Amino acid sequence: MSPVGDTLRTRCRNFPGIVNNASIDWFFPWPDQALYAVASVMISPENKLIPGEHREHLVSHCVKVHQSVNDYSQRFLQRLRRYNYVTPKNYLDFISCYLRILDEQDQNIQAQCERLQGGLMKIAEASKMLV
């Protein structure tokens, strides 16, 4: 449940068991240092798809993207009076999704390279047959 508005208050009044038997997790923005540490761990140096010289830039970019989404969510609230929640889970999902898409694209490119290599071999074989 979102703590915004009267919904939480009304539900707590109507169902007192919610207050007695539930725990409330309040999400506050992570500090920059925590965002950087989490991205550094998730984008590990053992990942062969990300060159070492680009790893630091990628980590700082992930932090910048998450912070900008948070800033734009505040603007969204001011202009349209609608909430967009940016949670730590969103940040973890963002990095995981990036790594998954990176792996999928690498596999796609590898398959295309193998297909091209096979085609070049067929062309070479055909040219030998013609000579």
Side-chain angles (χ1 to χ4, degrees):
M1 279 187 295
S2 171
V4 178
D6 296 328
T7 308
L8 180 64
R9 186 177 324 128
T10 304
R11 287 186 181 155
C12 288
R13 200 175 318 123
N14 292 339
F15 306 102
I18 290 176
V19 176
N20 295 335
N21 298 320
S23 61
I24 298 174
D25 290 331
W26 298 101
F27 292 108
F28 296 104
W30 280 2
D32 295 346
Q33 185 180 11
L35 292 170
Y36 188 82
V38 168
S40 295
V41 169
M42 289 186 74
I43 303 171
S44 64
E46 290 84 30
N47 192 337
K48 303 296 182 198
L49 299 176
I50 302 170
E53 62 269 9
H54 298 300
R55 184 176 172 274
E56 291 297 320
H57 296 295
L58 182 61
V59 168
S60 61
H61 179 72
C62 289
V63 172
K64 181 75 174 168
V65 166
H66 184 73
Q67 290 172 339
S68 66
V69 169
N70 204 9
D71 294 340
Y72 280 109
S73 294
Q74 294 300 322
R75 287 187 194 174
F76 188 71
L77 175 63
Q78 290 172 354
R79 289 185 184 172
L80 300 174
R81 306 266 190 248
R82 297 198 55 174
Y83 289 93
N84 179 41
Y85 297 102
V86 182
T87 64
K89 177 74 169 127
N90 296 131
Y91 184 61
L92 297 173
D93 288 342
F94 165 62
I95 296 172
S96 297
C97 184
Y98 173 79
L99 294 173
R100 181 179 47 82
I101 290 173
L102 182 66
D103 185 48
E104 288 173 2
Q105 290 298 317
D106 182 61
Q107 290 175 4
N108 186 19
I109 290 170
Q110 290 295 331
Q112 289 178 351
C113 287
E114 290 171 7
R115 185 174 179 201
L116 178 64
Q117 187 66 30
L120 291 174
M121 288 174 40
K122 293 292 183 184
I123 291 173
E125 289 174 9
S127 66
K128 284 182 186 178
M129 292 176 135
L130 290 175
V131 176

